[in-house]
Amino acid sequence: MVLMNRRGFVKGAAACCIGLASIEARGFDGVGAGLPNSVFAYEFGDISPEQQAGFAREYGFEGTVFDHARQIPERLRALDEAHLQLFFLWLTVDISHGQINYEPEMESAIEALKGRGTVVWVAIQGGDAGGGAGAEERAIQAVDRISDLASQSNLRVALYPHYGFYLARFRDVVRLAERAGRSNVGVTFNLCHELRSGFDPEFPRLLDKAMPRLYGVTINGADRQGRDWGTLIQPLGRGDYDVTGLVRTITQAGYRGPFGIQCYGLKGDPGVYLKQSMAAWRAVSVGATQGNH
């Protein structure tokens, strides 16, 4: 991601600009040093890989995420040309009705990511409350298989809590990752899904428990008393939920991984809400360092 011709000069200049944007995004803009954590944004609507990469690059994000095992060559090419990282690839597994159903092309997608440092996000769905009899065993079996595939490509796996899924809350992914006991299997914390499921009062204890295997954190603007996605997923900087306080808590606990800006369902021009979210991230990044040790 020889000889300096015109194309090489343009690529070099672009890379320099991206690096400067990345530095500014982390809070090193003369106002104060923010967190060293990488930051990515994702879910900009139904657009092409090239458009998604372009938006992420233009507004200073270090990379993005793609959903499902499709268009992998096109997506990777778009990110390589933009000099961006694919932080996560989001895949689903359905364990309802006593079966395990994986996404088509899952194996080839994971194989194509070999050596990229991408983490495989796994969201496990269940058709009913609890996923039915034997659901936990099927979930572990699915995680074992994906863990093996990821290991062959030198990748890690992070369980993704999603409201309404079998793994819906942070405590669910922590439990299953612990039970799976795989060295390359960790977890993700998602603010919007945790709020929708009911923010766990034992979060500090769960965070400490999960820290050795916490591979990703996603945040966004939200209302503390929000009840739907319109109030629980807003551009970063909107809503009354204390995102800075949450980020401070997570980083003080020892988290050094990436933060993702969740943009699912946001209306309007992605350029508008991405610009706003990046400006808000700079403020959050600086504010979260206050009181850190």
Side-chain angles (χ1 to χ4, degrees):
M1 105 177 194
V2 311
L3 293 175
M4 178 61 77
N5 55 21
R6 184 173 183 272
R7 175 176 293 182
F9 174 81
V10 171
K11 285 188 174 180
C16 180
C17 292
I18 292 167
L20 289 173
S22 173
I23 290 172
E24 289 185 356
R26 295 182 183 189
F28 301 105
D29 56 1
V31 176
L35 296 169
N37 304 69
S38 297
V39 59
F40 63 92
Y42 68 113
E43 296 282 13
F44 314 154
D46 187 16
I47 58 178
S48 71
E50 292 78 12
Q51 289 172 313
Q52 183 165 330
F55 277 122
R57 180 184 61 187
E58 182 174 357
Y59 294 99
F61 295 95
E62 294 162 74
T64 189
V65 169
F66 286 117
D67 291 347
H68 304 299
R70 59 175 182 247
Q71 292 185 282
I72 300 300
E74 295 84 354
R75 289 166 163 182
L76 295 181
R77 184 166 53 250
L79 291 179
D80 288 346
E81 291 177 354
H83 302 282
L84 296 178
Q85 168 70 13
L86 179 61
F87 281 89
F88 295 88
L89 177 67
W90 192 78
L91 302 176
T92 60
V93 179
D94 193 334
I95 61 168
S96 58
H97 308 299
Q99 299 179 334
I100 304 176
N101 291 307
Y102 302 94
E103 288 197 17
E105 309 301 327
M106 177 186 74
E107 292 189 19
S108 60
I110 292 175
E111 184 178 1
L113 298 175
K114 185 174 183 177
R116 287 182 170 268
T118 301
V119 177
V120 181
W121 257 349
V122 178
I124 299 183
Q125 300 170 291
D128 49 33
E136 189 83 347
E137 289 69 28
R138 291 196 300 279
I140 292 174
Q141 183 180 338
V143 170
D144 284 346
R145 182 186 176 198
I146 296 173
S147 171
D148 287 341
L149 292 171
S151 181
Q152 293 169 18
S153 293
N154 299 317
L155 302 177
R156 297 179 297 166
V157 176
L159 304 181
Y160 184 103
H162 188 296
Y163 172 77
F165 282 20
Y166 178 70
L167 298 181
R169 306 178 68 178
F170 188 51
R171 67 165 49 248
D172 295 329
V173 294
V174 172
R175 179 197 74 244
L176 195 68
E178 211 168 47
R179 289 200 60 187
R182 292 299 190 100
S183 62
N184 68 334
V185 174
V187 301
T188 307
F189 173 82
N190 300 321
L191 175 60
C192 64
H193 291 290
E194 190 69 11
L195 289 172
R196 185 75 185 264
S197 298
F199 204 99
D200 201 308
E202 296 187 9
F203 175 69
R205 181 187 65 81
L206 290 169
L207 182 63
D208 287 340
K209 191 175 184 180
M211 191 51 62
R213 54 169 67 96
L214 183 60
Y215 298 162
V217 174
T218 70
I219 57 176
N220 51 264
D223 290 335
R224 288 175 294 177
Q225 302 302 319
R227 293 292 181 267
D228 56 24
W229 295 130
T231 54
L232 294 175
I233 303 178
Q234 302 179 47
L236 193 63
R238 294 187 186 175
D240 60 6
Y241 185 83
D242 182 13
V243 176
T244 299
L246 174 69
V247 171
R248 183 185 299 117
T249 295
I250 292 172
T251 53
Q252 283 184 341
Y255 180 67
R256 299 295 179 266
F259 283 93
I261 311 300
Q262 166 70 266
C263 300
Y264 178 80
L266 296 184
K267 306 299 183 185
D269 182 354
V272 173
Y273 59 70
L274 288 173
K275 181 177 182 180
Q276 177 179 342
S277 291
M278 176 52 77
W281 168 251
R282 294 176 183 177
V284 167
S285 180
V286 172
T289 63
Q290 298 174 5
N292 275 358
H293 302 288

